[in-house]
């Protein structure tokens, strides 16, 4: 069963909107927020915790779909929903974090 991992950078309300929109896609098996252990990590500590950086966070979601056709629909819905709210969205390879 294909899995999609995505990250959204923005307000919690935007993440919740994307989560709700994905729940509305027929045949989606599972949608779950997952902890992103790298969320508070920054490569550049010189700008860490500045006011500009504290207004948005990164939220991570995992979605299970029965096939790639449904997966493509989920990606479209997520991009459209995040885009209308001007949030950054990134689709992540699920194996990227495994070492």
């Amino acid at each position: 069963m294909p899995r999609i991992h995505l990250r959204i950078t923005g307000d919690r309300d935007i993440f919740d909107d994307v989560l709700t929109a994905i729940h509305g896609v027929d045949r989606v098996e599972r949608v779950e927020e997952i902890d992103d252990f790298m969320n508070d990590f920054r490569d550049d500590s010189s700008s860490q915790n500045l006011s500009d950086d504290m207004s948005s966070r990164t939220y991570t979601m995992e979605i299970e779909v029965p096939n790639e056709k449904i997966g493509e629909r989920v990606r479209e819905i997520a991009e459209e929903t995040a885009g209308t709210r001007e949030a950054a969205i990134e689709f992540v390879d699920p194996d990227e974090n495994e070492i």
Side-chain angles (χ1 to χ4, degrees), residues 49-71:
N49 293 327
L50 291 178
S51 61
D52 288 348
D53 294 337
M54 298 180 74
S55 63
S56 62
R57 289 197 55 219
T58 301
Y59 301 93
T60 306
M61 181 184 315
E62 180 178 85
I63 305 107
E64 286 184 4
V65 294
N67 57 51
E68 285 301 322
K69 183 177 179 182
I70 302 298

Side-chain angles (χ1 to χ4, degrees), residues 17-99:
D17 287 350
V18 174
L19 188 78
T20 300
I22 292 172
H23 270 293
V25 177
D26 288 339
R27 300 184 55 209
V28 168
E29 302 289 330
R30 181 177 67 86
V31 182
E32 182 179 340
E33 180 177 359
I34 57 176
D35 291 330
D36 187 354
F37 298 110
M38 298 299 286
N39 191 32
D40 294 325
F41 178 76
R42 291 193 53 131
D43 290 343
D44 177 14
S45 62
S46 65
S47 61
Q48 193 166 12
N49 293 327
L50 291 178
S51 61
D52 288 348
D53 294 337
M54 298 180 74
S55 63
S56 62
R57 289 197 55 219
T58 301
Y59 301 93
T60 306
M61 181 184 315
E62 180 178 85
I63 305 107
E64 286 184 4
V65 294
N67 57 51
E68 285 301 322
K69 183 177 179 182
I70 302 298
E72 187 58 37
R73 182 69 182 137
V74 165
R75 288 180 189 89
E76 290 171 3
I77 293 291
E79 284 180 349
E80 181 180 310
T81 305
T84 60
R85 299 285 305 272
E86 298 180 1
I89 186 168
E90 174 186 12
F91 294 95
V92 184
D93 181 3
D95 297 327
E96 172 181 292
N97 296 325
E98 294 178 10
I99 297 178

